[in-house]
């Protein structure tokens, strides 16, 4: 059996783990909102129409922040449509996804939903078809306590306390030709800078996210970030990153190494942002908000007729059903984000319910966990304290897309306050188990408190509406510790979490 080794050192701290790394994303797209989080008449629905079974799963998932309301949707969104008496809210066409938006769920309702889940709101403003004044109006409505026209309107609408939204996205994917009102980097950078400066005149403590590239494959990747930040650097706190991955052409080996591309993305954006900062002799360092990331079989959806001109309410769109391999890659991507927590301090798994999501629902029926639910929920729960640098000794294998890739990927975290740690491991081999030893003596660990693995004899096994529990976490009974050394056997195509105490 092949072997690999991981060495840990609690002094090799990368950074504390910002809990915003475990965020998610709710867009008015497909059945994410309607028939997803919101379904009046469902047996578990509350007075607002929100499904209680979905709330329970979101809490179990461990989502800390929710980016809302888009996504491509936001670039044509008029926020005023979604507040006030529901019976007076207009139905609008959403050009992004060619569907009808009823506006029955808006900012005030969604804020109440967030309190049920214990999540923080990360709000996006429309800079595609709107601009500075509309962003300032939304900020006043959402955050000003009282005594102004828009804050008093919020109070009259049943939200007496300000929503106190701290983190704001300045548009969405403005580099993409698919985006309503998309722009050049120069035009967007100027608009984002003016909008950010105006918003901080209202509240200097806002945390603002400027749009970075919508993917590392964009022809303007890198140059987009440079030009935008040349304009907006002094006014913003984050630059966004978006990345989606999928298996193509049966190349499972390349897919399992997708985290290497995410690392390249992060390194490039950090280098570009720091270049701009150094030119400006700025003491500030721009952080990264990886506020869209997931597995998404976009090629298949683009070849279908899901997005059409029927103009329906909440059509079934982008409802990927995920496999074990998909979940292993998702777990590895999350490990990569945490490994870069010195610069990646916010992230949003896109999306939360039904639309390329870890949670699925049926109208009037069940809500269940996709395979991708499990690595996210366990990591959110166990990854506490700070991320540690690890030294990994592992064989490599050749991939068509990424070149040589390590068979083993590993992440470790340690919480000084509790003296507990966690190790997260991925075996990328498609055929062989892997015996791993982890030198954790310096953590002071004496026992394995928990060890779980996501794997299956069929890496393409899935959870479906008719078989909702086909795949799940299983205890890894091979995990043991002696004299500070942890040993564990990892099945092929697997993700494993080990809690140490």
């Amino acid at each position: 059996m092949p072997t690999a080794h991981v060495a840990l050192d609690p002094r090799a701290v990368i950074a504390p783990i910002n809990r915003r790394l475990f965020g998610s994303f709710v867009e008015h797209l497909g059945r994410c909102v309607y028939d997803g989080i919101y379904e009046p008449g469902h047996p578990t629905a509350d007075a607002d129409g929100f499904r209680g079974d979905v709330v329970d799963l979101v809490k179990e998932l461990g989502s800390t922040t929710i980016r809302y309301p888009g996504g491509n949707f936001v670039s044509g969104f008029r926020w005023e449509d979604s507040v006030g008496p529901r019976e007076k809210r207009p139905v609008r066409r959403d050009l992004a996804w060619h569907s009808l938006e009823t506006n029955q769920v808006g900012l005030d309702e969604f804020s109440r939903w967030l309190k049920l889940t214990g999540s923080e709101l990360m709000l996006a403003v429309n800079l595609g078809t709107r601009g500075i004044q509309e962003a300032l109006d939304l900020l006043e409505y959402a955050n000003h306590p009282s005594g102004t026209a828009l804050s008093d309107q919020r109070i009259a609408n049943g939200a007496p306390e300000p929503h106190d939204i701290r983190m704001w996205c300045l548009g969405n994917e403005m580099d993409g030709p698919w985006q309503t009102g998309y722009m050049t980097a120069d035009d967007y950078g100027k608009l984002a800078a003016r909008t950010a400066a105006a918003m901080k005149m209202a509240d200097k403590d806002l945390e603002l996210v400027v749009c970075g590239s919508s993917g590392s494959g964009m022809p303007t990747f890198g140059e987009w970030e440079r030009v935008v930040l040349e304009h907006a650097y002094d006014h913003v706190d984050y630059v966004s990153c978006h990345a989606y991955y999928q298996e193509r052409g049966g190349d499972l080996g390349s897919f399992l190494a997708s985290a290497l591309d995410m690392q390249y993305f992060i390194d490039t954006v950090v280098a570009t942002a720091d270049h701009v900062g150094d030119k400006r002799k700025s003491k500030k360092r721009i952080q990264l908000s990886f506020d869209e990331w997931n597995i998404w079989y976009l090629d298949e959806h683009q070849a279908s007729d899901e997005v059409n001109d029927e103009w329906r309410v909440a059509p079934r769109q982008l409802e990927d059903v995920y496999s074990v391999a998909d979940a292993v890659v998702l777990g590895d991507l999350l490990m990569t984000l945490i490994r870069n927590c010195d610069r990646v301090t916010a992230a949003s798994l896109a999306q939360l319910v039904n639309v390329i999501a870890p949670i699925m629902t049926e109208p009037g029926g069940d809500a269940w966990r996709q395979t991708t639910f499990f690595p996210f929920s366990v990591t959110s729960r166990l990854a506490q304290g700070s991320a540690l640098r690890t030294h990994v000794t592992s064989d490599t294998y050749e991939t068509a897309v990424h070149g040589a890739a390590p068979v083993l990927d590993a992440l470790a975290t340690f919480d000084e306050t509790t003296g507990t740690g966690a190790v997260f491991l991925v075996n990328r081999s498609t055929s062989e188990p892997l015996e791993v030893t982890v030198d954790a003596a310096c953590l002071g660990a004496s026992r394995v408190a928990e060890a779980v693995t996501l794997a299956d004899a069929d890496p393409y096994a899935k959870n479906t509406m008719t078989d909702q529990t086909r795949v799940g976490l299983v205890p890894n009974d091979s995990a043991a510790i002696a004299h500070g050394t942890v040993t564990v056997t990892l099945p092929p195509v697997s993700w494993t979490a080990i809690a140490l105490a």
Side-chain angles (χ1 to χ4, degrees), residues 32 71 123 131 168 171 248 267 301 343 352 366 393 397 428 433 472 497:
C32 187
L123 195 63
W168 296 72
R248 288 186 166 92
D267 291 342
H301 292 294
R343 295 304 292 270
L352 185 60
D366 294 337
T393 304
Y397 69 104
R428 293 171 174 153

Side-chain angles (χ1 to χ4, degrees), residues 326-387:
D326 295 326
V328 170
V329 172
L330 184 140
D332 203 12
L333 295 173
L334 183 54
M335 289 161 55
T336 303
L337 294 173
I338 297 171
R339 188 182 296 119
N340 290 276
C341 64
D342 56 332
R343 295 304 292 270
V344 182
T345 52
S348 303
L349 178 67
Q351 293 185 14
L352 185 60
V353 183
N354 288 330
V355 176
I356 54 171
I359 299 169
M360 298 297 291
T361 71
E362 275 298 307
D366 294 337
W368 67 94
R369 304 165 187 81
Q370 290 233 59
T371 58
T372 54
F373 183 100
F374 300 106
F376 190 101
S377 63
V378 173
T379 305
S380 177
R381 177 169 56 85
L382 294 184
Q384 302 289 334
S386 298

